[in-house]
């Protein structure tokens, strides 16, 4: 064997293999890496960025082995997370329609933090003495009742099937004024 030819062939082969791997990773890359990347790809206004909170979902629901979202804005009102939610609340005032009445969260995959964001955003608005009604419309994997330790025997599923009225389904949280919750109700 010719050593020089083997070395040259090896260098060319591994260089092409590396470039192919980089090209494959570039084509299949589907993560958002920065706020600049997000604003470049979409025209949606960014209201704020919530820092990662590891302890936000530290307790596990025994029935479904899924994390239960925590209310972090009440524990430390000056923390980075609380300030991020307050910033989002303030930026919501400056949207084109100043009098928003409905805020909805959705995602394609479970576990992305919809419940965490909703309960903390609702709590931040309630702390500002605004009347807030939090609806749990997730009829597959409801989490809001567990997060607030509420009874889930009546709620949206019973309202939609005409087995309960709206007034019967509204629940209040002790010590938290201006926040009413309608849970998902029994899973259909």
């Amino acid at each position: 064997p010719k050593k020089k030819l083997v070395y040259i062939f090896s260098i060319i082969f591994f260089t092409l293999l590396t470039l192919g791997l980089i090209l494959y990773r570039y084509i299949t890359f589907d993560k958002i890496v920065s706020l600049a990347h997000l604003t470049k790809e979409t025209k949606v206004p960014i209201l704020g960025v919530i820092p990662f909170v590891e302890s936000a979902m530290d307790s596990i629901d025994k029935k479904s082995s899924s994390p239960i979202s925590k209310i972090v804005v009440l524990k430390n009102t000056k923390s980075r997370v609380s300030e991020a939610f307050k910033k989002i609340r303030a930026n919501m005032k400056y949207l084109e329609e100043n009098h928003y009445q409905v805020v909805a969260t959705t995602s394609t995959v479970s576990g992305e933090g919809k419940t965490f964001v909703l309960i903390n955003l609702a709590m931040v608005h309630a702390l500002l003495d605004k009347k807030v009604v939090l609806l749990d419309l997730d009829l597959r994997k409801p989490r809001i009742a567990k997060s607030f330790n509420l009874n889930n025997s009546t709620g949206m599923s019973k309202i939609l099937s005409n087995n309960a009225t709206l007034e019967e389904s509204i629940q209040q949280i002790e010590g938290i004024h201006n926040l009413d919750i309608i849970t998902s109700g029994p899973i259909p």
Side-chain angles (χ1 to χ4, degrees):
K2 297 181 182 176
K3 279 181 135 182
K4 197 173 194 181
L5 187 61
V6 170
Y7 286 138
I8 292 173
F9 178 73
S10 298
I11 290 172
I12 292 172
F13 175 74
F14 285 111
T15 303
L16 290 175
L17 185 68
T18 304
L19 290 175
L21 182 62
I22 291 171
L23 182 64
Y24 171 75
R25 292 284 307 235
Y26 180 75
I27 290 172
T28 60
F29 186 72
D30 61 350
K31 304 263 188 273
I32 298 171
V33 292
S34 68
L35 190 58
H37 180 246
L38 184 62
T39 55
K40 184 179 113 179
E41 296 293 326
T42 65
K43 302 296 183 223
V44 177
I46 308 296
L47 298 178
V49 177
I50 300 168
F52 180 72
V53 182
E54 192 165 329
S55 65
M57 296 183 286
D58 52 2
S59 63
I60 300 293
D61 179 22
K62 304 293 185 245
K63 292 179 185 174
S64 65
S65 72
S66 62
I68 299 173
S69 295
K70 296 291 183 182
I71 305 168
V72 296
V73 295
L74 289 179
K75 290 180 183 175
N76 187 357
T77 57
K78 300 293 182 188
S79 69
R80 287 179 48 214
V81 179
S82 296
E83 292 299 323
F85 279 108
K86 289 176 187 176
K87 182 179 178 182
I88 291 171
R89 178 189 64 198
N91 288 338
M92 288 173 81
K93 291 180 184 179
Y94 299 108
L95 292 174
E96 287 180 25
E97 301 165 2
N98 282 336
H99 301 288
Y100 62 89
Q101 294 186 7
V102 177
V103 176
T105 60
T106 185
S107 72
T108 57
V109 206
S110 64
E112 288 185 330
K114 298 177 292 292
T115 304
F116 172 72
V117 170
L118 267 181
I119 64 175
N120 283 289
L121 197 58
M123 192 61 63
V124 167
H125 277 85
L127 291 174
L128 197 62
D129 289 332
K130 292 194 177 206
K131 189 69 175 164
V132 177
V133 177
L134 183 59
L135 303 175
D136 189 1
L137 298 174
D138 189 352
L139 299 180
R140 290 185 314 127
K141 294 181 181 179
R143 303 258 190 305
I144 290 179
K146 294 172 186 164
S147 297
F148 286 100
N149 292 324
L150 295 174
N151 183 5
N152 201 22
S153 62
T154 183
M156 288 306 296
S157 63
K158 289 223 175 179
I159 293 171
L160 293 172
S161 63
N162 291 326
N163 291 329
T165 64
L166 187 64
E167 291 77 22
E168 293 172 345
S169 301
I170 295 176
Q171 299 183 48
Q172 285 84 27
I173 309 296
E174 284 186 37
I176 301 171
H177 304 290
N178 299 321
L179 178 63
D180 294 333
I181 298 175
I182 299 177
T183 61
S184 65
I187 298 172

